[in-house]
Amino acid sequence: MARLRDPERGCPWDLQQTFRTILPYTLEEAYEVAEAIEQEDPAALREELGDLLLQVAFHSRIAEEAGLFDFGQVVQGICDKLIRRHPHVFAELDLPDLDAVHANWEREKSRERAAKGKGATDSLLAGVAAALPALVRAEKLQRRAARVAFDWDDIAGVFAKVEEELGECRATLAEQTDPTERVHEIGDLLFSCVNLARHMGVDAEQALRAANRRFERRFGQIEAALRVKGLEPGPAVRDEMEHLWNLAKMDGRNELS
């Protein structure tokens, strides 16, 4: 990266980049790591981890040029943090179970926030990055609130809340409500669905990513089956598409060949 950013011999594109301009690439590489993991492709994972590591090196080099920090400090910082947050491994603290480990982790994070000038008056929800995907952020916010018992006692209450929010969405449609109100109600429904996923032990973001992949695969099967018949997707073949969709959903069968 130092060579690529060299003012005399470097790459013109690399020299033009800033923290902000490479941010989209950093996010993209992180998602490509996730994709490789979900596809259970170790060769792709190795490659994508390298691409993600390059982003860390890129940001670090820009920071070093500005006199902010360098790559070594980034690595040292995360090493120090891991040691500090694992006194049951690197020191003599006795944490007998997973609950105790989690509790100590949160206490250490609170001390770190206080050391950064974020005192006890800060919200418990402070620090949940706004740039996270909405489903991920919703789950993190809910988990933070659950630490102080602001949560449903059992999953039955969560199901009831989802049904309640769905009913409110229906009401906004029937009453020809202002579009902004519909946005709010859909948001509340999605938030409650994330809550349901959390109580069911499901990662909402991963679940939706998997659903997207299933939809792509099944719709691709529909398109392929229509092509065999000399047809194209459209209103004229809607019933046929519905039939093919149902076939595509059948487990363990290749009805579209």
Side-chain angles (χ1 to χ4, degrees):
M1 284 311 309
R3 178 67 181 272
L4 288 170
R5 295 272 300 179
D6 185 282
E8 300 298 329
R9 299 181 299 166
C11 169
W13 185 87
D14 289 276
L15 283 166
Q16 289 180 351
Q17 303 314 305
T18 66
F19 293 128
R20 287 188 177 275
T21 62
I22 63 173
L23 174 58
Y25 302 102
T26 306
L27 296 173
E28 179 181 341
E29 297 299 350
Y31 279 114
E32 290 182 358
V33 167
E35 180 71 14
I37 292 171
E38 290 167 354
Q39 295 297 325
E40 299 183 350
D41 187 339
L45 177 59
R46 176 189 55 78
E47 180 179 352
E48 298 303 342
L49 285 172
D51 291 344
L52 184 58
L53 179 59
L54 172 62
Q55 295 298 308
V56 178
F58 207 150
H59 283 285
S60 299
R61 181 59 195 176
I62 294 173
E64 183 176 1
E65 292 168 1
L68 302 173
F69 56 83
D70 61 23
F71 183 80
Q73 290 172 300
V74 171
V75 176
Q76 189 62 57
I78 188 59
C79 288
D80 292 345
K81 182 184 291 186
L82 287 173
I83 292 170
R84 188 170 61 249
R85 291 185 180 180
H86 292 81
H88 53 298
V89 176
F90 297 103
E92 301 301 324
L93 184 64
D94 181 24
L95 298 176
D97 54 34
L98 192 57
D99 288 341
V101 170
H102 285 160
N104 182 74
W105 180 278
E106 294 305 327
R107 283 194 298 270
E108 183 57 42
K109 287 178 67 176
S110 295
R111 285 194 288 267
E112 290 170 7
R113 286 195 294 268
K116 293 176 182 177
K118 298 179 178 181
T121 57
D122 257 357
S123 169
L124 182 68
L125 305 182
V128 180
L132 286 170
L135 292 178
V136 175
R137 190 162 193 263
E139 183 172 0
K140 286 184 176 292
L141 291 171
Q142 292 169 6
R143 288 190 182 279
R144 290 279 186 95
R147 293 177 196 163
V148 292
F150 191 73
D151 198 6
W152 298 100
D153 292 330
D154 54 53
I155 199 169
V158 188
F159 274 111
K161 185 62 176 176
V162 171
E163 292 166 359
E164 175 190 330
E165 296 297 350
L166 183 59
E168 291 181 3
C169 286
R170 289 195 184 99
T172 61
L173 187 61
E175 297 168 5
Q176 299 297 312
T177 310
D178 184 288
T180 301
E181 184 63 24
R182 294 182 184 178
V183 171
H184 291 166
E185 295 302 341
I186 287 291
D188 290 345
L189 175 61
L190 292 173
F191 193 84
S192 63
C193 286
V194 172
N195 219 341
L196 177 62
R198 181 173 61 86
H199 278 262
M200 293 180 69
V202 173
D203 184 300
E205 179 74 15
Q206 291 185 6
L208 184 56
R209 287 167 62 87
N212 289 340
R213 289 196 299 274
R214 287 196 302 274
F215 182 85
E216 288 179 304
R217 183 177 67 252
R218 291 168 181 172
F219 194 81
Q221 289 178 278
I222 290 174
E223 292 175 308
L226 289 175
R227 280 195 296 270
V228 169
K229 299 178 181 182
L231 302 173
E232 293 184 354
V237 293
R238 182 171 179 176
D239 290 343
E240 180 68 8
M241 288 193 295
E242 182 69 22
H243 171 67
L244 293 170
W245 175 265
N246 289 330
L247 292 180
K249 289 175 63 177
M250 298 176 69
D251 293 335
R253 299 178 63 181
N254 188 13
E255 297 282 351
L256 300 183
S257 60

